[in-house]
Amino acid sequence: ILVGKDRRNKYIFAHVVPRKGVDPYAVARISQDPKLLGYDKFIIKTDQEPSIIALREAAIRKLGKGESETVPGRAQQAVTEESPVGESQSNGEVERCIQEVQGMIRTIADGLESRYQEAVNEDHPILPWVVRLAAATLNRYLKDLTEGLLTAV
């Protein structure tokens, strides 16, 4: 599962990807998510894991080929930033976001399992929908995860 969060407006993205590292679907998702928010310039912050760095670089190459949707003729610009090695707290905001997404996935999956008497495991075809629904639910009802405030939008 690939999880991202926009720091400015707290918007969460979550996608099921086929595997770690560079995958065409994962690259498409990472390069599309900032466009959905209308950004021309943005920072992609990751940890030091080689597979996520390779994915980030592939997404940036794809973004460099695309045109800005708000300013015709200008390419989107992405700046990279890496968390310092051994400094998990520097990425604390996204780590908390991942925990919230995982919790919501469990809640939705448990509800489906209870209602339909069928296990929702990592191979179940409904899992990609559950992951995206988890992010959409958090976006709709939890605006500031870092302060734990529940806000109906």
Side-chain angles (χ1 to χ4, degrees), residues 2-119:
L2 183 64
V3 177
K5 183 175 183 182
D6 174 36
R7 278 206 177 131
R8 183 181 300 167
N9 65 21
K10 310 296 185 198
Y11 195 85
I12 299 168
F13 296 97
H15 309 285
V16 173
V17 294
R19 63 182 183 277
K20 282 180 113 174
V22 179
D23 175 80
Y25 179 78
V27 170
R29 295 284 64 82
I30 290 177
S31 58
Q32 236 177 18
D33 289 346
K35 289 180 186 178
L36 293 174
L37 297 175
Y39 292 136
D40 289 329
K41 294 181 183 179
F42 50 92
I43 298 170
I44 298 178
K45 184 175 180 179
T46 62
D47 59 17
Q48 299 283 335
E49 186 178 348
S51 61
I52 195 71
I53 290 173
L55 177 59
R56 178 193 70 197
E57 296 304 319
I60 288 172
R61 281 192 301 276
K62 181 176 174 115
L63 285 165
K65 295 176 185 173
E67 187 174 288
S68 165
E69 292 185 12
T70 57
V71 181
R74 186 171 78 187
Q76 283 192 304
Q77 297 174 326
V79 176
T80 64
E81 186 178 314
E82 294 174 10
S83 299
V85 176
E87 295 285 328
S88 61
Q89 290 180 346
S90 68
N91 228 7
E93 187 176 1
V94 78
E95 294 296 334
R96 174 78 175 132
C97 177
I98 291 167
Q99 291 174 355
E100 292 289 337
V101 169
Q102 289 173 333
M104 188 58 67
I105 290 168
R106 282 191 298 274
T107 299
I108 295 167
D110 286 348
L112 290 169
E113 288 174 358
S114 173
R115 177 149 175 103
Y116 295 105
Q117 303 299 306
E118 183 178 340

